[in-house]
């Protein structure tokens, strides 16, 4: 995830418009959406787009950075909840929404990635690490209160959540998550030691 110096207010507005337009245009037109289409949808010229993002890959990376930062911030806030189990469940729902809504972005990013085949891009590795690190304290807080199974790691929970989000019809992802959560929330009998 990238850190950059603060922008002037007008430059920040242009950058925000480009990010919003890029996400919208990519979702509407798919992987083949052009940078010209994105600049036009944002109401800026191509030069402005290239001043902010030197390539399509960098533009998509910035969209993902923004989404991942939002998820990480949400996990930090959720970990402070007085009901961390419920907060974790709500956060996992946000993760599922992110995954189902970012399918085209993921495809576009991978289509533009020019690194070695079969090797996960470093940006993707960093995004996964950031989400895992954000989820760990939230999961630990829920486990400490007995609201989530104690034998589950953040990596396992996120892998299961990702599988749920990518399984079949995105419209059913919420239902699939409910089924998954039935397995990770302890039942009254298991919390007392009987199985």
């Amino acid at each position: 995830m990238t850190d950059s110096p603060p922008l002037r207010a007008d430059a920040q507005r242009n950058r925000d418009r480009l990010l919003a337009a890029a996400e919208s245009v990519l979702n509407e037109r798919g992987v083949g959406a052009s940078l010209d289409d994105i600049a036009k949808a944002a109401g800026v010229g191509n030069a402005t787009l290239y001043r902010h993002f030197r390539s399509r890959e960098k533009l998509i990376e910035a969209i993902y950075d923004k989404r991942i930062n939002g998820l990480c911030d949400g996990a930090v806030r959720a970990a402070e909840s007085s009901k961390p189990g419920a907060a974790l469940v709500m956060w996992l729902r946000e993760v599922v929404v992110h995954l189902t809504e970012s399918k085209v972005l993921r495809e576009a990013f991978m289509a533009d990635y020019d690194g070695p085949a079969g090797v996960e891009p470093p940006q993707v590795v960093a995004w996964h690490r950031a989400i895992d690190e954000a989820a760990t304290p939230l999961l630990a807080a829920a486990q400490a209160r007995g609201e989530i199974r104690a034998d589950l790691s953040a990596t396992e929970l996120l892998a299961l959540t990702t599988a749920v989000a990518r399984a079949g019809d995105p419209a059913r992802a919420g239902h699939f998550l409910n089924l998954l959560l039935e397995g990770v929330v302890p039942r009254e009998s298991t919390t007392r030691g009987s199985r």
Side-chain angles (χ1 to χ4, degrees):
M1 306 204 322
T2 57
D3 290 324
S4 55
L7 298 172
R8 293 185 333 260
D10 62 329
Q12 185 63 53
R13 278 192 301 276
N14 284 340
R15 186 178 194 285
D16 292 344
R17 287 184 8 215
L18 282 163
L19 291 173
E23 193 162 0
S24 176
V25 169
L26 285 165
N27 283 330
E28 178 184 315
R29 298 185 189 155
V31 175
S34 72
L35 290 176
D36 289 341
D37 293 338
I38 292 167
K40 188 180 293 183
V44 301
N46 286 354
T48 300
L49 185 148
Y50 283 105
R51 218 178 356 265
H52 288 279
F53 308 104
R54 66 179 182 264
S55 68
R56 180 182 154 100
E57 181 182 349
K58 290 298 180 189
L59 174 60
I60 295 168
E61 183 180 336
I63 295 168
Y64 254 103
D65 276 347
K66 184 176 178 182
R67 284 174 157 246
I68 297 301
N69 286 331
L71 286 171
C72 291
D73 292 345
V76 169
R77 284 189 305 277
E80 297 168 355
S81 169
S82 62
K83 296 181 180 178
L88 174 64
V89 168
M90 291 304 297
W91 183 75
L92 289 173
R93 292 189 191 291
E94 292 174 23
V95 171
V96 167
V97 167
H98 160 73
L99 290 167
T100 57
E101 289 182 353
S102 63
K103 182 177 187 264
V104 173
L105 286 172
R106 183 175 56 254
E107 290 171 357
F109 182 80
M110 293 309 293
D112 290 341
Y113 178 65
D114 62 358
V119 175
E120 200 166 44
Q123 301 93 323
V124 173
V125 172
W127 293 327
H128 289 170
R129 185 179 323 109
I131 290 292
D132 192 75
E133 289 172 0
T136 298
L138 175 55
L139 176 61
Q143 289 170 324
R145 300 233 357 211
E147 297 172 346
I148 299 292
R149 290 175 58 142
D151 63 344
L152 186 66
S153 73
T155 301
E156 291 167 333
L157 181 59
L158 290 168
L160 291 167
T161 302
T162 300
V164 160
R166 293 185 180 163
D169 181 8
R172 299 205 20 105
H175 173 70
F176 294 151
L177 182 62
N178 289 339
L179 294 173
L180 168 67
L181 293 172
E182 284 293 314
V184 300
V185 175
R187 291 181 179 47
E188 210 44 48
S189 62
T190 52
T191 57
R192 290 187 190 136
S194 61
R195 295 207 179 237

